[in-house]
Amino acid sequence: MNDLRMRILDPRIGQEWPLPHYASADAAGMDLRACLEAPLQLAPGQAELVSAGFAMHIGDPRVTALLLPRSGLGHRGLVLGNLVGLIDADYQGPLKISLWNRGSADILIEPGERVAQMILVPVLRPSVTVVSKFAASERGADGFGSTGRQ
């Protein structure tokens, strides 16, 4: 995939604020901005759906986009209400970001503030094969947490 199609919905994107882009040469995620008309105060426990200011179309079923919190903001309590957003390749609607204050203090979000990041990742879509048993492995049927035992 070499091309991600975006349709600008908020005229401030690309004018006042840059298009989603990689902030450094080795960045994995594109920063997404809160396209708000006024500052948004999120109280502890409060969640709001915020526009990213654009619609997009990946168009390649081998690729999906994941929306993730920005590390520094997540540490301070601003995370995504759905934890990770998943954008399917055939989706063409407005991109919305579910912002959730999981912290103990109010969080003020300014219009145009970078609030999330988006990464594009490959998708594997294997066929499902039903079997009566699995081939032996070192771990076998040991369950959750079994590799942490001494």
Side-chain angles (χ1 to χ4, degrees):
M1 176 185 179
N2 295 322
D3 196 22
L4 178 62
R5 308 271 173 169
M6 288 188 182
R7 188 168 47 88
I8 303 302
L9 302 175
D10 186 315
R12 296 172 294 181
I13 296 288
Q15 300 294 318
E16 291 179 45
W17 310 316
L19 290 168
H21 68 284
Y22 299 99
S24 72
D26 293 333
M30 294 181 197
D31 287 332
L32 301 179
R33 296 179 182 272
C35 290
L36 300 165
E37 295 305 318
L40 171 65
Q41 182 124 348
L42 281 180
Q46 183 181 356
E48 291 290 333
L49 201 55
V50 173
S51 172
F54 63 94
M56 62 182 248
H57 182 217
I58 297 169
D60 182 341
R62 299 167 299 173
V63 177
T64 192
L66 300 178
L67 304 186
L68 304 167
R70 294 189 67 233
S71 300
L73 294 177
H75 180 71
R76 293 197 321 257
L78 185 64
V79 295
L80 302 186
N82 53 346
L83 303 184
V84 174
L86 175 71
I87 311 299
D88 294 318
D90 58 352
Y91 181 73
Q92 296 184 14
L95 199 71
K96 303 270 184 156
I97 308 164
S98 176
L99 296 176
W100 171 42
N101 179 356
R102 69 171 175 89
S104 58
D106 286 1
I107 295 175
L108 182 66
I109 301 167
E110 296 289 343
E113 184 176 345
R114 296 176 301 152
V115 292
Q117 55 189 328
M118 178 174 70
I119 63 172
L120 298 167
V121 296
V123 172
L124 302 176
R125 295 185 63 175
S127 59
V128 175
T129 302
V130 176
V131 298
S132 59
K133 65 180 183 175
F134 298 114
S137 71
E138 185 177 332
R139 183 173 184 172
D142 289 347
F144 179 76
S146 64
T147 61
R149 295 187 203 132
Q150 297 296 322

